[in-house]
Amino acid sequence: EKATSNRVLVNYAQISDDSDENGKPIEDVDSTPDEWIDEEDDQDIERIRLQCFDLSLRKFITAINGIELKDGNGKYTREPVVDVSNLVKGTDTTAVYNHTKKPLAVQVGDKVVYTIRVYNEGDIDGFASEVKDYLPPYLKYIQDSEINSQYAWQISEDGRIVTTSYLANTKLSGFDGTKLDYADLKIECMVANGAPLKENQTNIAEISEYTYNGGTTDKDIDSIPDNMDDKIPTDEKLP
């Protein structure tokens, strides 16, 4: 359990004692028992390298009222710029995701599209088999949205939690040393009547179920799946 990702574990073996057929000490012609001397043939090593399972999630607004938020190069203005240098150097298990979280100004009735992006930071291929989105009080799920239908979201009875297994069969390949594999989900919501003026509406998402090697797992190296149900701030503290 104390082994860290990418650590090479070296296992040594050697003949520690030898004797003739009568059990008496005997001299090996080219080796010294119970003493590690490089190049002697009474010893050998074998190596294994620990791999980790590690998915991550980021969320960013990509459209308001059907207008995509892109710069002059066609790139989403709030899309994460990913720095994987920590992963390459092995100094951390998490990449750095640079993207603004400055609130965007909206009005009642505006339709907001969020992109939820799941990355694979680990060595092992995996799946985000379930994703949950927790909606604030004045952000309403749009039942007849084409986007929401496409990503097969399911809404809870109170209208506050939406869940999808859309990515359950989308394999995210392990980190290749250069860039992270990822897959996207989108969800469309509407700013509801009664939304307080100048109050932030904070939308939170998480990976609620991981899968790899054909089965669900909670073995993510630095995250716990389905961890937010009892940790979402109260409505008063969400802004």
Side-chain angles (χ1 to χ4, degrees):
E1 291 293 334
K2 295 181 180 179
T4 55
S5 179
N6 290 319
R7 189 175 191 172
V8 175
L9 305 180
V10 185
N11 182 209
Y12 295 78
Q14 72 169 173
I15 300 169
S16 54
D17 198 6
D18 48 24
S19 62
D20 64 15
E21 59 185 359
N22 297 314
K24 295 180 179 180
I26 191 171
E27 185 174 344
D28 189 295
V29 67
D30 57 9
S31 301
T32 306
D34 207 24
E35 186 174 342
W36 196 273
I37 300 174
D38 289 344
E39 308 302 328
E40 287 196 348
D41 65 358
D42 66 338
Q43 62 198 31
D44 200 8
I45 65 171
E46 192 59 280
R47 298 179 175 90
I48 56 174
R49 183 176 68 87
L50 181 67
Q51 293 187 317
C52 71
F53 179 75
D54 189 9
L55 300 186
S56 66
L57 179 147
R58 306 304 298 175
K59 164 178 278 196
F60 50 102
I61 297 171
T62 48
I64 297 179
N65 294 329
I67 300 174
E68 293 192 311
L69 307 181
K70 292 184 175 181
D71 61 20
N73 297 317
K75 184 178 178 64
Y76 286 114
T77 56
R78 297 170 73 88
E79 181 177 3
V81 176
V82 185
D83 180 356
V84 297
S85 56
N86 285 342
L87 302 180
V88 173
K89 292 184 292 186
T91 56
D92 202 339
T93 61
T94 300
V96 176
Y97 302 92
N98 297 298
H99 59 134
T100 181
K101 291 296 181 180
K102 182 179 179 180
L104 290 175
V106 294
Q107 300 179 44
V108 169
D110 281 355
K111 295 180 178 180
V112 183
V113 176
Y114 296 85
T115 292
I116 297 170
R117 180 166 292 177
V118 178
Y119 296 88
N120 190 346
E121 297 177 325
D123 309 291
I124 301 169
D125 297 347
F127 305 81
S129 47
E130 185 182 83
V131 173
K132 285 184 179 179
D133 199 31
Y134 300 86
L135 303 180
Y138 297 100
L139 193 64
K140 300 302 180 184
Y141 177 79
I142 303 174
Q143 290 282 3
D144 59 355
S145 163
E146 291 185 7
I147 290 173
N148 293 339
S149 296
Q150 176 184 347
Y151 291 99
W153 292 100
Q154 301 294 316
I155 188 78
S156 62
E157 289 186 8
D158 65 0
R160 296 293 298 275
I161 302 174
V162 283
T163 306
T164 183
S165 298
Y166 182 82
L167 296 180
N169 296 312
T170 300
K171 183 177 75 173
L172 296 171
S173 299
F175 179 49
D176 64 2
T178 303
K179 61 182 180 180
L180 302 181
D181 194 15
Y182 68 83
D184 287 346
L185 295 163
K186 291 187 178 183
I187 184 169
E188 185 174 29
C189 300
M190 179 182 291
V191 182
N193 290 325
L197 186 65
K198 296 184 179 180
E199 182 178 280
N200 294 335
Q201 296 298 315
T202 305
N203 184 207
I204 300 171
E206 71 165 339
I207 303 169
S208 49
E209 189 174 283
Y210 312 120
T211 306
Y212 80 99
N213 290 340
T216 57
T217 180
D218 60 359
K219 295 295 185 181
D220 189 291
I221 194 171
D222 55 15
S223 302
I224 301 171
D226 207 17
N227 190 43
M228 290 301 299
D229 274 344
D230 60 350
K231 292 181 173 61
I232 292 291
T234 61
D235 288 349
E236 293 75 20
K237 294 182 178 180
L238 265 177

